[in-house]
Amino acid sequence: MEAFSFLDLFQGIATLVASEPKIMIGRIFLMLLGFLLIYLGSRNILEPLLMIPMGLGMSSINAGVMFLEAGKMGTLFVDPLMSDVNDLVNIMQINWLQPVFTLTFSNGLIACFVFMGIGVLLDVGYIMARPFQSMIIALFAELGTFVVYPIAIALGLTPNEAASAATIGGADGPMVLFTSLVLAKHLFVPITVVGYLYLGLTYGGYPYLAKWLIPEKLRGISMANDRGPTITSSQKLIFAVVACTLLCLLFPVAAPLFFSLFVGVAVRESGLENFSNLLSETFLYGATFFLGLTLGVLCEANTLLEPTVLKLLLLGILALFVSAVGGIIGGYVMYFATGGKFNPVIGIAGVSCVPTTAKIVQKIATAANPGAIILPQALGANISGVITSAIIAATFISFLR
């Protein structure tokens, strides 16, 4: 009978000991990072709906590495690099998250589910009431995308890789996922993980940026009297149908995302409560849960410890920082254009992490002036940011695909 060792029983520890030093350190670091994300999510410092399942997935995947056939190390979660059809069919019967990844991630379906849910939550009346104001803010808030693209190429990324990384500046998670799948599938995992990690950081970082760049007096400007014209449900439905059809006509490569977003809007404005509940609760929260969970288990040390990932980390934070600064610049432009009646902090809402950034700017304004109301204008910029991000991503795909 062969001798039985302690490490044969506890294979997670055995694979940790048998790994190269950088992989071992990386696994330990990612386990601890997972703990941190769970803590920050539970304290509402970062977005809890994403960070808690993502953090637990990250910790578990790096702890649960075991010896497979021929001494190869792996897990029973997911293999994102599997491409051979026969091997894929076999592995889907073993790795428990493989069907979720293969059937919803690798074809962008999960991004479409999220967009359907978001569409139901969006009141497009906010953008219809102030279309030019919202679009100006949204365009300024895309500054990070335009700045990071040439920087990424200068750092050695291909145009396709650079475009995928640059879309992080739009702060639209499903859009980052979709674009990287189409343009740089080999970097889909690290780009999407980096993108969503940083989107969580916007939750905690943007308020400080606003305080540094905007005086308290301006942060407290209330726009409660700027109600805009009343938009009926019929007008909103017409807008959704026309905008969806036009955008699909102009940018067929992103038609699934445009359709998903506006079908949610159409359901909302048509008063289809059963469908509305299905999309806004079951689809949106179900997709968000599996999105966070699957992104977490994709954070395996072997996958993330690549030289390109460091570039993506730097480019991602730069893109989001520059986009927020660009949005604030747009806010100042509107402030001076309206003779001081526009709250410049609304510029941050142009960064289309919907509805997070809109809620952030309202919270910032309330802290400076408890009576300040800017949420309608912020939501208009936020919704416009989603559409603008989709158009820019579609433009990248059209030119580079």
Side-chain angles (χ1 to χ4, degrees), residues 47-50 114-124 126 170-174 196 199-200 202-204 206-207 261 268 280 284-285 288 345-364 374-387:
E47 176 56 61
L49 292 177
L50 271 176
V114 172
F115 259 45
M116 287 179 189
I118 290 174
V120 172
L121 301 179
L122 295 184
D123 185 346
V124 294
Y126 292 122
D172 191 326
Y196 271 97
L199 294 190
T202 65
Y203 200 73
Y206 278 3
L261 179 68
R268 172 193 173 103
S280 65
L284 180 58
Y285 287 109
T288 301
V345 79
I346 293 172
I348 291 179
V351 181
S352 63
C353 188
V354 63
T356 301
T357 48
K359 293 190 292 184
I360 287 172
V361 300
Q362 178 60 62
K363 187 176 179 181
I364 294 169
I374 61 172
L375 189 60
Q377 292 80 5
L379 284 169
N382 216 195
I383 297 167
S384 184
V386 173
I387 297 171

Side-chain angles (χ1 to χ4, degrees), residues 189-269:
V189 173
I191 287 175
T192 306
V193 169
V194 168
Y196 271 97
L197 274 176
Y198 282 152
L199 294 190
L201 292 178
T202 65
Y203 200 73
Y206 278 3
Y208 295 101
L209 187 63
K211 291 177 183 178
W212 292 336
L213 298 179
I214 304 173
E216 184 176 11
K217 181 180 178 181
L218 301 189
R219 297 198 306 268
I221 293 175
S222 179
M223 300 182 67
N225 294 327
D226 178 25
R227 299 184 182 278
T230 301
I231 310 295
T232 66
S233 292
S234 297
Q235 291 172 321
K236 296 175 189 177
L237 180 59
I238 292 170
F239 170 81
V241 173
V242 173
C244 180
T245 305
L246 181 60
L247 289 170
C248 288
L249 179 66
L250 295 174
F251 305 104
V253 290
L257 289 179
F258 289 129
F259 168 78
S260 299
L261 179 68
F262 285 109
V263 76
V265 176
V267 164
R268 172 193 173 103
E269 302 307 334

Side-chain angles (χ1 to χ4, degrees), residues 239-320:
F239 170 81
V241 173
V242 173
C244 180
T245 305
L246 181 60
L247 289 170
C248 288
L249 179 66
L250 295 174
F251 305 104
V253 290
L257 289 179
F258 289 129
F259 168 78
S260 299
L261 179 68
F262 285 109
V263 76
V265 176
V267 164
R268 172 193 173 103
E269 302 307 334
S270 299
L272 304 176
E273 292 188 10
N274 291 337
F275 285 171
S276 184
N277 292 335
L278 173 69
L279 297 180
S280 65
E281 296 178 8
T282 307
F283 274 37
L284 180 58
Y285 287 109
T288 301
F289 172 75
F290 280 106
L291 183 63
L293 191 66
T294 309
L295 285 175
V297 301
L298 291 174
C299 293
E300 192 177 357
N302 283 313
T303 303
L304 295 185
L305 290 180
E306 295 288 338
T308 307
V309 175
L310 177 59
K311 294 179 184 179
L312 296 175
L313 287 168
L314 297 174
L315 292 170
I317 195 68
L318 178 63
L320 286 172

Side-chain angles (χ1 to χ4, degrees), residues 145-166 311 315 396 400:
T145 301
F146 298 120
V147 168
V148 162
Y149 179 70
I151 293 175
I153 291 178
L155 289 176
L157 272 64
T158 67
N160 285 29
E161 294 168 349
S164 299
K311 294 179 184 179
L315 292 170
F396 274 135
L400 300 173

Side-chain angles (χ1 to χ4, degrees), residues 53-64:
M54 187 173 181
L56 188 57
M58 186 182 296
S59 298
S60 300
I61 192 69
N62 287 285

